[in-house]
Amino acid sequence: MTPASTPGVTGAARPMVPASAGSREADAPLHLDEGWVRGPDGVRERSAARVLVLDGAGAVLLVRGHDADEPDRHWWFSVGGGIDPGESSRDAAARELREETGMVVDPVALEGPVLRRSAIFDFAREHCRQHEEFFVLRVADRPTLSSEGWTELEESFVDEVRWLTPDEIEASTDEVFPAALPRIVRALAAGWDGVVEEIGIDTDGGACAAHSES
């Protein structure tokens, strides 16, 4: 692992500077990244890869975001994003990890996939369906993080990146995706048994979640 670094961005949290009035971040509507296509039922969908980065104490690295249409609503989700054409889910997971955190890892270092689900959520004024595969990366020490690889969309809705224990996730007043994340993290921290957990259809935040996983 060769972690990159950015001044002010640490392994504990990456607070964002609030958008100022009149800025693109404050006023412009969000749009989905390329890669989302209309399914037969008209719902925007894509395939994605996600990474549960676990430290030696059993904490997981999560991202906290919000929706511009509901700025007071926040949620925690794992590192990850869409799979590019011709890319494997494992390679996509390693790429997303590098882009979102600055951590550079060989894809073969990722365990899994450990979990699959199809997440249903609303974001950027679109109803979305994302077919996700989760991988695990174990780190002994928390590396310095970087936001240099963030996309314009990520810069507009990400509030911070933080290490959280399962207990801290459960104590949070923010929504968490997937909802079963505390249980999943506890189980994986103890070791993976090689069985892929199949969650199936998973509606994030109830019937209409402002959930963004770019």
Side-chain angles (χ1 to χ4, degrees):
M1 178 181 300
T2 308
S5 64
T6 297
V9 183
T10 71
R14 198 290 186 188
M16 294 296 295
V17 176
S20 60
S23 68
R24 179 199 58 76
E25 290 87 349
D27 298 332
L30 299 180
H31 298 284
L32 294 176
D33 289 344
E34 294 181 3
W36 291 92
V37 299
R38 295 277 183 198
D41 55 0
V43 175
R44 291 274 191 182
E45 66 179 352
R46 71 173 181 180
S47 294
R50 314 206 67 80
V51 185
L52 299 173
V53 185
L54 304 179
D55 71 3
V60 62
L61 186 64
L62 296 179
V63 183
R64 184 173 185 259
H66 69 275
D67 194 310
D69 290 335
E70 297 183 82
D72 293 331
R73 189 176 187 182
H74 300 268
W75 59 93
W76 292 101
F77 59 99
S78 59
V79 173
I83 300 174
D84 290 339
E87 189 177 38
S88 71
S89 58
R90 181 178 297 274
D91 287 343
R95 173 182 54 76
E96 288 286 338
L97 184 66
R98 181 184 69 250
E99 293 174 354
E100 296 186 3
T101 71
M103 286 187 279
V104 179
V105 300
D106 189 321
V108 301
L110 301 175
E111 293 180 30
V114 300
L115 180 150
R116 296 190 185 96
R117 72 168 191 152
S118 292
I120 307 296
F121 55 89
D122 290 345
F123 180 64
R125 302 180 184 180
E126 291 277 4
H127 196 52
C128 305
R129 179 171 52 237
Q130 185 161 259
H131 308 291
E132 302 175 339
E133 286 195 339
F134 287 72
F135 294 83
V136 169
L137 176 68
R138 300 181 192 275
V139 296
D141 301 309
R142 297 180 179 182
T144 299
L145 305 179
S146 170
S147 62
E148 291 182 355
W150 288 10
T151 65
E152 184 178 19
L153 178 61
E154 287 163 345
E155 290 178 347
S156 69
F157 76 82
V158 171
D159 302 314
E160 62 178 317
V161 179
R162 184 183 298 272
W163 294 91
L164 294 175
T165 66
D167 287 348
E168 289 171 332
I169 297 172
E170 290 174 335
S172 174
T173 57
D174 297 326
E175 295 175 87
V176 178
F177 306 124
L181 191 59
R183 172 190 63 77
I184 293 168
V185 171
R186 285 192 182 99
L188 290 171
W192 181 47
D193 60 7
V195 177
V196 181
E197 180 175 354
E198 301 283 356
I199 291 182
I201 300 296
D202 201 14
T203 301
D204 285 343
C208 186
H211 174 205
S212 122
E213 300 184 353
S214 62

